[in-house]
Amino acid sequence: MKRRIIIVGGVAGGASAAARIRRLDADAQIVMFERGEHVSFSNCCLPYHLSGTVENSDSLVLMTPERFWKQYGIEVRVQSEVTAVHPGKKQVTVRNLETGESYTETYDKLILAPGANPIMPRSIAGIDREHVFSIRNVTDIKALKHYIDTRNVKKAAVIGGGFIGVETAENLKMAGLTVALVEGTEQIMLPFDYDMVQILHKEMLDSGVEMHLSSMLTEIREHSILIQCGDEIKEIEADAVVMAIGVSPETTLAREAGLAIGETGGILVNKNFQTSDPDIYAVGDAAESFNRLLGRPGRLALAGPAQRQARGAADHIYGSSGANRGFIGSSCIRIFGLNAACTGLNEKNAESAGISCDIAYVLAADKVGLMPGSSYMNFKLVFEVPTGRILGAQAIGKGNTDKRIDVIAAMITMGGTLADLKDLELCYSPVFGTARDVVNQAALVGQNLLDCRYRQVPVSEVRGLVESGAFIVDVREEQEFQAGHLKNAHNIPLSQLRQRMQEIPRDIPVYVHCRTGQRSYNAVCCLQGHGYQNLWNISGSFLGVSLYEYFNDRTKGREPVVTEYNFK
Amino acid sequence: MKRRIIIVGGVAGGASAAARIRRLDADAQIVMFERGEHVSFSNCCLPYHLSGTVENSDSLVLMTPERFWKQYGIEVRVQSEVTAVHPGKKQVTVRNLETGESYTETYDKLILAPGANPIMPRSIAGIDREHVFSIRNVTDIKALKHYIDTRNVKKAAVIGGGFIGVETAENLKMAGLTVALVEGTEQIMLPFDYDMVQILHKEMLDSGVEMHLSSMLTEIREHSILIQCGDEIKEIEADAVVMAIGVSPETTLAREAGLAIGETGGILVNKNFQTSDPDIYAVGDAAESFNRLLGRPGRLALAGPAQRQARGAADHIYGSSGANRGFIGSSCIRIFGLNAACTGLNEKNAESAGISCDIAYVLAADKVGLMPGSSYMNFKLVFEVPTGRILGAQAIGKGNTDKRIDVIAAMITMGGTLADLKDLELCYSPVFGTARDVVNQAALVGQNLLDCRYRQVPVSEVRGLVESGAFIVDVREEQEFQAGHLKNAHNIPLSQLRQRMQEIPRDIPVYVHCRTGQRSYNAVCCLQGHGYQNLWNISGSFLGVSLYEYFNDRTKGREPVVTEYNFK
């Protein structure tokens, strides 16, 4: 008896499940239904069609129904919407979207991989206008590109500052458009902490994207949008609007079939990706997953985890029950000239989950300074106190941030601590890195903090320190100090510190910094060795503070805390 | 009482130890002796001065004695050779190389970080000629560069195919010279297995370096060298010769002081980097270390481990005994257009150590195929059988091989298995990778092999299969087959496999391949599902075999096993 397996959804989760099932069972009848025009396309590449980085939209489609059939004997029916599941009868109802006809199909096992839908709030006036787009599939991106090209659109607004929104804004800007990005919260890219994301805000601004944070879209007009920021209503010209405020898991089918829904709103599954009906599996964006760092259910709309879940479901159908590790959440993005990546918990999430944690923030050379293309990388490591267990990291810079974050992802997955990470033996050549890599350095700083060797203040507190007249010591050399420094800082270069120590008071708090934190760490050690006790290292130092303050200074017309910005 | 700490050697190990000690002890008297002209220079960048990548040789020196004193209160004496250690008196004898005077200094603790010396066999006639160079320090590289520039050298020979030799050959070639590389064994870059290194041999050849493998230098003449390859003596024109056949640890000082030497020839140290005299420490290239994967003493001449050892020694002087993890051996190199990296054990070393292991060899896209700059990466994973514990990996390609190897280094360090690696959740964007990364794919292949789901033959056996008329099936599409294929292979595209299965015999061994191994894996699953049992997947597939065979075909005039080479 050949098994008959039906799969709903033909992108990351569905296509992976189908291919895996075929490898496990040469005989099974596999039928995959996809509501859209295409299966197995590269969702993640969609925005890159807008800039022409991916020139030919056809190339976004990786597999055709014909190839699925020829290569794998998998039957694919596109423009075919599964409108109902009947668990009792083990049947699905399918509607052919071209003909409008409906029919039923019988399954032995059913895999739901319908994905998630862009959220399009009906409450926003004008949301139905023809120049309002969302980006879910190849059809969508072709429509948007076609509209921009044929209507000669010069001004666009992107609503939502998550991955899709930012990538869309970047690619539209690269295509030469004037682009406004509207985000409801005070920051884009929520996986990053507020301190780190300021670097990305700066890059967006410097690259010419109009940034509207803490702003809600209220109306879409023919050639503009209205947004509300606090009490203020602004009108922004836009002849195309892209909605990217988030996605909601496609659970209607599951709900109507009486399948249980999890607390996070995704389809509830067990360790084997079975829903509350053991013959029905759910994988990908529509299913609830498990955040292994928080130890509780969570959702994650990413391709990699969807593929792993699909494999897990397929394997379980064929009798093997593999490990289900849930997710830690790893992601990365290029934003114009910067690469940003993160994994695990950020500080905000760890704290709101009540996890005892601390952070190490380093700005370290991404390769040996004298090699071409060397730059500093902003790296924030989140670790548990007092265990030193690594919880998460964020990296932003011109260099290979993805490399550093992948290493941290591996360490988190394996339960690594700061002690493990500081000694981690990575490959090194001056072409690629430094002998003591960014991640090693962050671990060393973290270990020093964990061991209570010194104390730090975060970049977010420096404005207050400057404004309150705290005693701040800048241990950079004089010419560096002259090129821009924290207002009111005292310049005592590390090279003069031993001679000029008496200039530093012992009875009040003293805050030490340099350019990136390396020299100030040595200064702090030196001062502590000479009996100073009320001593704080400014985490991130001058560069970190500058990057943190720049965007808000520029966009809010605030008085800078530095005499002059200098990001070198 | 201030402690007096003397350090012998002022590069990676010595300078790191000095800086760490200063942070731990603001009062200690720290004196660092360096025989050469410079301390704290970037050894690893030296070859890049030859091509002008690092234009200014002064920039190779990261810290001057003056800055060491001013910033850290560390006294540095260059051109000062420690000629004797007197453990009983806790004294060293120092010779000022400028004045020739000798004097003694007393220590509380002594750290030996003298490094390793380039091997210059006296037995080779002409080794003392003025155009024979080695590369150990800034003085050496300046002398070589100066010689090439002022004598207008157009032809150079580099002896030795290790990291320094290959980097030197690459940089001399980039500087426009005709370069011959002479290597005594059958391959360059010994950390790579013979199968993987063929890709590097090809790159060297394609980039115009004359490659002389299995060749011994026998004589250096005024404008040429003589090398012996088998019974043949060849003369190669060369107006500059760089000796890079290896380094030997500088142990004379330690030996003469009566300190114990380890079985591998480095200074014997305990877990805290103490020598047989507990007041004397040894770190870096001169000291013996511990290969944690082989569970036995070993040596490693790399900057990162030297820095970690230095920190460990400094910490122990101040009462803290940290973990000593030994080394796993991680390294990377750029060779013209390719990046190569490796970590842990290679197949050869694992096998010669009697470790039960197997390998997975994949050629996977380093980023999503439709993104600019996407290329395939050759990745070889070595794992223990039957545990699946990851032992090592090698990666070669145009993309970020260092990233993938760093992830493997983390997994090895943390005791990870194939099961851990296949599920590892790495950050993904099409700009940087694929949803299922190269390392995940290698782990999946490895797990399938470990689970005995199918069998493979290595690229090294394919020539024999072709020549013996084995039944080889190429499942690529016809036009791919036409552009170059294994001689005698039968082309049955995967898309026709189900219809044409009867063309494949069931009673003899059948060897299946495609371009990179993905389609052939599906073909193998399909055939196995239809009852085929004597079935083998060709590991590495067409591209892997082509890369493996190319160099020897070209240099030995051998008959290729492919109808036409095609590396696309």
Side-chain angles (χ1 to χ4, degrees):
Chain A
M1 258 290 287
K2 292 183 182 179
R3 286 212 213 206
R4 186 164 175 83
I5 293 171
I6 285 182
I7 299 169
V8 179
V11 197
S16 298
R20 177 69 177 169
I21 290 166
R22 174 53 75 227
R23 287 196 295 270
L24 295 170
D25 183 350
D27 287 328
Q29 293 180 344
I30 306 170
V31 187
M32 186 160 75
F33 294 102
E34 167 59 39
R35 195 171 56 183
E37 289 180 275
H38 306 102
V39 285
S40 199
F41 57 86
S42 175
N43 319 46
C44 309
C45 286
L46 294 175
Y48 300 92
H49 180 48
L50 297 173
S51 60
T53 304
V54 175
E55 211 176 322
N56 181 356
S57 65
D58 292 343
S59 69
L60 291 163
V61 181
L62 309 175
M63 285 284 285
T64 59
E66 293 67 37
R67 271 184 68 199
F68 261 111
W69 179 247
K70 280 187 168 175
Q71 289 199 4
Y72 302 118
I74 293 167
E75 188 184 341
V76 175
R77 300 187 200 162
V78 293
Q79 297 193 274
S80 298
E81 183 175 8
V82 174
T83 55
V85 176
H86 313 287
K89 293 187 282 184
K90 289 192 159 192
Q91 284 185 339
V92 294
T93 305
V94 186
R95 188 170 52 193
N96 182 324
L97 296 179
E98 287 177 296
T99 65
E101 281 173 84
S102 281
Y103 57 96
T104 59
E105 288 282 355
T106 305
Y107 63 80
D108 292 309
K109 302 285 177 186
L110 174 67
I111 297 179
L112 300 177
N117 241 335
I119 297 169
M120 303 287 279
R122 296 290 117 201
S123 58
I124 295 171
I127 192 96
D128 290 324
R129 287 183 183 272
E130 67 158 349
H131 68 291
V132 182
F133 298 85
S134 64
I135 299 177
R136 186 186 181 174
N137 56 34
V138 178
T139 308
D140 293 342
I141 204 76
K142 282 169 78 167
L144 172 57
K145 179 94 161 72
H146 181 77
Y147 190 88
I148 289 169
D149 292 348
T150 55
R151 304 295 180 97
N152 198 19
V153 172
K154 297 293 182 203
K155 295 182 178 176
V158 177
I159 317 300
F163 282 89
I164 296 173
V166 170
E167 286 173 351
T168 301
E170 185 209 35
N171 279 280
L172 288 173
K173 185 74 202 167
M174 287 163 68
L177 276 71
T178 297
V179 180
L181 183 73
V182 179
E183 163 60 42
T185 73
E186 62 178 356
Q187 70 165 88
I188 62 171
M189 301 298 301
L190 278 173
F192 291 85
D193 281 315
Y194 187 71
D195 49 5
M196 292 297 282
V197 88
Q198 298 308 322
I199 306 166
L200 302 179
H201 288 167
K202 174 180 183 299
E203 185 70 7
M204 294 289 277
L205 195 68
D206 288 352
S207 304
V209 175
E210 281 174 35
M211 297 287 287
H212 300 277
L213 303 181
S214 305
S215 299
M216 302 297 292
L217 175 69
T218 57
E219 188 183 335
I220 301 171
R221 297 183 172 178
E222 202 176 339
H223 297 292
S224 69
I225 60 171
L226 296 187
I227 62 170
Q228 181 166 7
C229 178
D231 292 336
E232 197 189 349
I233 302 281
K234 289 184 207 165
E235 183 168 7
I236 301 168
E237 290 178 29
D239 293 316
V241 178
V242 180
M243 296 297 296
I245 58 174
V247 296
S248 64
E250 291 232 20
T251 54
T252 311
L253 201 58
R255 277 177 208 274
E256 290 176 358
L259 301 178
I261 302 298
E263 62 184 80
T264 66
I267 303 170
L268 185 70
V269 293
N270 66 13
K271 180 247 184 193
N272 302 313
F273 309 101
Q274 287 169 296
T275 66
S276 51
D277 181 322
D279 291 319
I280 305 178
Y281 294 75
V283 301
D285 298 3
E288 185 167 89
S289 187
F290 181 77
N291 185 317
R292 66 184 276 186
L293 287 167
L294 294 177
R296 63 172 81 132
R299 282 194 294 118
L300 189 73
L302 293 175
Q307 290 185 3
R308 274 187 292 281
Q309 292 163 13
R311 190 182 174 92
D315 285 356
H316 188 256
I317 291 173
Y318 287 90
S320 109
S321 185
N324 180 334
R325 299 161 200 260
F327 64 85
I328 58 171
S330 303
S331 53
C332 55
I333 187 171
R334 182 200 65 200
I335 300 181
F336 298 103
L338 290 182
N339 301 321
C342 61
T343 186
L345 300 180
N346 60 25
E347 186 182 10
K348 177 180 53 193
N349 291 342
E351 284 186 347
S352 71
I355 295 171
S356 163
C357 68
D358 200 355
I359 65 112
Y361 177 25
V362 297
L363 292 93
D366 56 11
K367 58 173 101 168
V368 171
L370 50 130
M371 294 299 281
S374 171
S375 181
Y376 57 85
M377 183 176 291
N378 299 272
F379 192 90
K380 179 173 178 174
L381 186 66
V382 183
F383 54 92
E384 193 175 61
V385 175
T387 64
R389 187 167 64 103
I390 300 162
L391 297 175
Q394 299 153 60
I396 302 176
K398 291 179 183 161
N400 292 345
T401 55
D402 54 323
K403 165 164 109 166
R404 275 68 184 205
I405 290 302
D406 279 356
V407 168
I408 302 297
M411 296 305 280
I412 291 174
T413 300
M414 300 304 293
T417 64
L418 294 171
D420 297 316
L421 184 61
K422 78 181 170 62
D423 289 342
L424 193 58
E425 190 186 335
L426 303 169
C427 64
Y428 159 60
S429 145
V431 176
F432 302 111
T434 59
R436 185 180 289 158
D437 190 74
V438 179
V439 300
N440 300 131
Q441 290 189 41
L444 286 165
V445 170
Q447 188 70 50
N448 281 332
L449 292 166
L450 190 69
D451 292 346
C452 306
R453 286 185 182 271
Y454 71 89
R455 293 173 299 180
Q456 67 182 2
V457 289
V459 286
S460 58
E461 290 180 15
V462 172
R463 173 170 286 272
L465 293 177
V466 171
E467 289 174 350
S468 67
F471 198 94
I472 298 174
V473 179
D474 184 336
V475 300
R476 294 177 300 162
E477 295 302 309
E478 272 168 48
Q479 65 191 45
E480 295 176 88
F481 185 82
Q482 293 310 333
H485 58 263
L486 290 181
K487 288 174 181 169
N488 307 326
H490 300 73
N491 184 218
I492 305 178
L494 180 59
S495 57
Q496 302 172 20
L497 184 62
R498 264 156 264 267
Q499 290 73 51
R500 294 174 55 187
M501 208 174 281
Q502 72 288 352
E503 296 174 32
I504 302 172
R506 290 177 178 266
D507 50 347
I508 57 168
V510 172
Y511 302 89
V512 185
H513 76 91
C514 59
R515 174 174 168 265
T516 65
Q518 264 194 307
R519 280 173 287 176
S520 66
Y521 166 47
N522 282 285
V524 164
C525 290
C526 175
L527 291 169
Q528 289 185 161
H530 287 91
Y532 283 81
Q533 288 177 353
N534 205 344
L535 209 56
W536 303 79
N537 192 37
I538 295 180
S539 161
S541 273
F542 181 74
L543 273 177
V545 174
S546 301
L547 290 163
Y548 179 75
E549 293 287 332
Y550 178 85
F551 177 79
N552 281 328
D553 287 355
R554 278 280 306 274
T555 56
K556 295 180 180 170
R558 246 172 26 181
E559 185 68 24
V561 295
V562 298
T563 58
E564 199 162 339
Y565 276 113
N566 173 10
F567 299 104
K568 276 179 196 144
Chain B
M1 258 291 288
K2 292 184 181 179
R3 285 211 213 207
R4 188 165 173 83
I5 294 171
I6 285 182
I7 299 169
V8 180
V11 196
S16 299
R20 177 68 175 170
I21 289 166
R22 174 54 75 226
R23 288 196 295 271
L24 294 171
D25 183 350
D27 288 327
Q29 293 179 343
I30 307 169
V31 187
M32 186 160 74
F33 294 102
E34 167 59 40
R35 195 171 55 182
E37 289 180 273
H38 307 102
V39 285
S40 199
F41 58 84
S42 175
N43 319 45
C44 309
C45 286
L46 295 174
Y48 299 92
H49 180 48
L50 297 174
S51 60
T53 304
V54 175
E55 211 177 322
N56 181 357
S57 65
D58 292 342
S59 69
L60 291 164
V61 180
L62 308 175
M63 286 283 286
T64 60
E66 292 68 36
R67 271 183 69 199
F68 260 112
W69 179 247
K70 280 187 169 175
Q71 289 198 6
Y72 302 118
I74 293 166
E75 189 183 340
V76 175
R77 300 187 200 161
V78 293
Q79 295 194 274
S80 298
E81 183 175 9
V82 174
T83 54
V85 176
H86 314 287
K89 292 187 280 183
K90 288 192 159 191
Q91 284 184 339
V92 294
T93 304
V94 186
R95 186 168 54 193
N96 182 325
L97 296 179
E98 286 177 296
T99 63
E101 282 174 82
S102 280
Y103 57 96
T104 60
E105 288 281 354
T106 305
Y107 63 81
D108 293 309
K109 301 285 177 185
L110 175 67
I111 298 179
L112 300 177
N117 243 335
I119 297 168
M120 303 287 278
R122 298 288 117 201
S123 58
I124 295 171
I127 192 97
D128 290 323
R129 288 182 184 272
E130 67 158 348
H131 68 291
V132 181
F133 298 84
S134 64
I135 299 179
R136 186 186 182 175
N137 56 34
V138 178
T139 307
D140 292 344
I141 204 76
K142 282 169 79 168
L144 172 57
K145 179 93 161 73
H146 181 76
Y147 189 89
I148 290 169
D149 292 348
T150 56
R151 305 296 180 98
N152 198 19
V153 172
K154 296 293 182 203
K155 294 181 179 177
V158 177
I159 317 300
F163 283 89
I164 296 174
V166 170
E167 286 173 350
T168 300
E170 185 209 36
N171 279 280
L172 289 173
K173 186 72 204 170
M174 286 163 68
L177 276 72
T178 296
V179 180
L181 183 72
V182 179
E183 163 61 42
T185 73
E186 63 178 355
Q187 71 165 86
I188 61 170
M189 302 298 301
L190 277 173
F192 291 84
D193 280 316
Y194 187 71
D195 49 6
M196 292 297 281
V197 88
Q198 299 308 323
I199 305 166
L200 302 179
H201 288 167
K202 174 180 183 301
E203 185 70 7
M204 294 289 278
L205 194 70
D206 289 351
S207 303
V209 174
E210 280 173 36
M211 298 286 289
H212 299 278
L213 302 180
S214 306
S215 299
M216 303 298 291
L217 175 69
T218 56
E219 188 183 335
I220 301 173
R221 298 183 171 178
E222 201 177 341
H223 297 292
S224 69
I225 60 171
L226 295 188
I227 62 170
Q228 181 165 7
C229 177
D231 292 337
E232 197 188 349
I233 302 280
K234 289 186 208 165
E235 182 168 7
I236 301 168
E237 291 179 27
D239 293 315
V241 178
V242 180
M243 295 297 296
I245 59 174
V247 296
S248 65
E250 291 232 22
T251 53
T252 310
L253 201 58
R255 277 178 208 273
E256 289 176 359
L259 301 178
I261 302 298
E263 63 185 78
T264 66
I267 303 170
L268 185 70
V269 292
N270 67 13
K271 181 248 185 193
N272 302 311
F273 308 102
Q274 288 169 296
T275 65
S276 50
D277 179 321
D279 290 319
I280 304 178
Y281 294 77
V283 300
D285 298 3
E288 184 167 271
S289 187
F290 181 79
N291 186 318
R292 66 183 277 186
L293 288 167
L294 295 178
R296 62 172 81 133
R299 282 195 295 118
L300 189 72
L302 292 175
Q307 291 185 4
R308 274 188 292 281
Q309 291 163 13
R311 190 182 175 91
D315 286 355
H316 189 256
I317 290 174
Y318 287 89
S320 110
S321 185
N324 181 333
R325 298 160 200 261
F327 65 84
I328 59 173
S330 301
S331 53
C332 55
I333 187 171
R334 182 200 66 200
I335 300 180
F336 298 102
L338 289 183
N339 301 321
C342 61
T343 186
L345 300 179
N346 59 26
E347 186 182 10
K348 177 181 52 194
N349 291 342
E351 283 186 347
S352 70
I355 295 171
S356 162
C357 69
D358 199 355
I359 65 111
Y361 176 26
V362 297
L363 292 93
D366 55 12
K367 58 173 102 168
V368 171
L370 50 130
M371 294 298 282
S374 171
S375 181
Y376 56 85
M377 183 177 291
N378 299 272
F379 192 91
K380 179 174 178 175
L381 185 66
V382 183
F383 55 91
E384 193 175 63
V385 175
T387 65
R389 187 166 64 103
I390 299 162
L391 298 175
Q394 299 154 59
I396 301 175
K398 292 179 183 159
N400 292 344
T401 53
D402 54 324
K403 165 164 110 167
R404 275 66 182 206
I405 289 303
D406 278 357
V407 169
I408 302 297
M411 296 304 282
I412 292 174
T413 300
M414 301 304 293
T417 63
L418 294 171
D420 297 315
L421 183 61
K422 78 182 171 60
D423 288 342
L424 192 58
E425 191 187 334
L426 303 169
C427 66
Y428 159 59
S429 144
V431 176
F432 302 109
T434 60
R436 186 180 290 157
D437 189 75
V438 178
V439 299
N440 300 130
Q441 289 189 41
L444 285 165
V445 170
Q447 188 70 50
N448 281 332
L449 292 166
L450 190 68
D451 293 346
C452 306
R453 285 185 182 272
Y454 70 89
R455 293 174 297 182
Q456 65 183 1
V457 288
V459 285
S460 57
E461 290 180 15
V462 173
R463 171 170 289 272
L465 293 176
V466 171
E467 289 174 351
S468 66
F471 198 94
I472 298 174
V473 179
D474 183 337
V475 299
R476 294 178 300 163
E477 296 301 309
E478 271 169 47
Q479 63 191 48
E480 295 175 87
F481 186 82
Q482 293 310 331
H485 58 263
L486 290 180
K487 288 173 180 169
N488 306 328
H490 300 74
N491 184 217
I492 305 178
L494 181 58
S495 57
Q496 301 172 20
L497 183 62
R498 263 156 264 269
Q499 290 73 52
R500 294 174 56 189
M501 207 173 283
Q502 71 289 351
E503 296 174 31
I504 302 172
R506 291 177 177 265
D507 50 347
I508 57 168
V510 172
Y511 302 89
V512 185
H513 75 92
C514 58
R515 174 174 166 265
T516 65
Q518 264 194 307
R519 279 173 286 177
S520 65
Y521 166 47
N522 282 285
V524 165
C525 290
C526 175
L527 291 168
Q528 288 184 162
H530 287 91
Y532 283 81
Q533 288 178 353
N534 206 344
L535 209 56
W536 304 79
N537 192 37
I538 295 180
S539 162
S541 273
F542 181 74
L543 273 177
V545 173
S546 300
L547 290 163
Y548 179 75
E549 293 286 334
Y550 179 84
F551 176 80
N552 281 328
D553 286 356
R554 278 280 305 275
T555 56
K556 296 180 179 170
R558 242 170 31 179
E559 185 67 26
V561 293
V562 298
T563 58
E564 198 163 337
Y565 276 114
N566 173 13
F567 299 104
K568 278 181 196 142

